């Protein structure tokens, strides 16, 4: 199993390549992302760039998280794009690729996302809100070469992490 890479690794600031979701290597990558997420305490999402692979693939599962309102269980999307975003509000975020910091990031509280399922290539439209919407946006940012630090309002909105899960 691959390890999570941390900033300033170049792959984290590079726009990830779109993928063929039916490619067996992409299907295996999707499985590996979910496996790493499952064994990482407190992790609710993981994108391929976070394990050193420049591919537009990520997984999310906020099931059981106290901030979750809507949850679709564990899912993986390839080449995902946000097509609607509304109800913007700030919230605290952390990231396994930036292990020592958290930050306040303004994100949409409701989104509609289009992507492709690994394996079948089936087109998926996902509507979600609250914490799951935040997690999806965070992972899409990874695929776009952005970290949450790129979205904070300034140095006043960055904090030392107080709890390590």
């Amino acid at each position: 199993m691959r390890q999570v890479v941390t900033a300033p690794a170049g792959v984290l600031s590079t726009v990830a390549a779109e993928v063929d979701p039916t490619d067996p290597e992409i299907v295996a990558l999707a499985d590996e992302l979910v496996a790493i997420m499952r064994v990482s305490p407190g992790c609710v999402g993981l994108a391929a760039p976070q394990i050193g692979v420049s591919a537009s693939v990520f997984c999310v599962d906020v099931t059981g998280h106290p901030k979750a309102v809507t949850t679709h269980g564990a899912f993986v999307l390839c080449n995902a794009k946000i097509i609607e975003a509304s109800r913007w509000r700030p919230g605290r975020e952390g990231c396994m690729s930036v292990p020592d910091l958290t930050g306040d990031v303004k994100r949409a509280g409701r989104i509609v996302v289009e992507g492709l399922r690994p394996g079948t290539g089936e087109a998926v439209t996902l509507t979600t809100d609250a914490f799951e919407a935040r997690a999806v946006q965070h992972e899409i940012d990874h695929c776009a070469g952005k970290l949450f630090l790129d979205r904070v309002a300034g140095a006043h909105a960055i904090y030392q992490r107080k709890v390590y899960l």
Side-chain angles (χ1 to χ4, degrees), residues 108-149:
R110 181 189 176 280
I111 60 171
V112 179
V113 176
E114 291 180 342
L116 304 172
R117 287 193 199 279
T120 65
E122 172 192 0
V124 176
T125 301
L126 180 89
T127 300
T128 191
D129 59 19
F131 188 68
E132 189 176 66
R134 181 169 293 278
V136 168
Q137 290 168 87
H138 181 106
E139 300 313 327
I140 288 174
D141 271 358
H142 277 301
C143 294
K146 296 200 176 299
L147 296 171
F148 77 89
L149 295 174

Side-chain angles (χ1 to χ4, degrees), residues 5-150:
V5 299
T6 57
V11 70
L12 295 172
S13 59
T14 302
V15 176
E18 289 206 348
V19 299
D20 173 358
T22 63
D23 182 327
E25 288 185 22
I26 297 304
V27 175
L29 174 63
D31 291 342
E32 186 176 6
L33 287 168
V34 172
I36 295 168
M37 178 178 65
R38 294 266 185 253
V39 299
S40 302
C43 183
V44 296
L46 191 66
Q50 291 184 271
I51 60 169
V53 180
S54 184
S56 186
V57 182
F58 69 87
C59 64
V60 167
D61 187 1
V62 300
T63 305
H65 193 283
K67 293 182 182 176
V69 176
T70 300
T71 180
H72 289 87
F75 61 89
V76 180
L77 291 177
C78 301
N79 308 330
K81 304 279 187 261
I82 296 171
I83 58 169
E84 289 180 34
S86 60
R87 301 183 198 156
W88 295 82
R89 54 185 58 107
R92 185 70 53 93
E93 294 187 19
C95 180
M96 291 184 3
S97 293
V98 187
D100 297 326
L101 301 173
T102 62
D104 293 333
V105 179
K106 191 172 186 180
R107 299 226 189 243
R110 181 189 176 280
I111 60 171
V112 179
V113 176
E114 291 180 342
L116 304 172
R117 287 193 199 279
T120 65
E122 172 192 0
V124 176
T125 301
L126 180 89
T127 300
T128 191
D129 59 19
F131 188 68
E132 189 176 66
R134 181 169 293 278
V136 168
Q137 290 168 87
H138 181 106
E139 300 313 327
I140 288 174
D141 271 358
H142 277 301
C143 294
K146 296 200 176 299
L147 296 171
F148 77 89
L149 295 174
D150 297 315

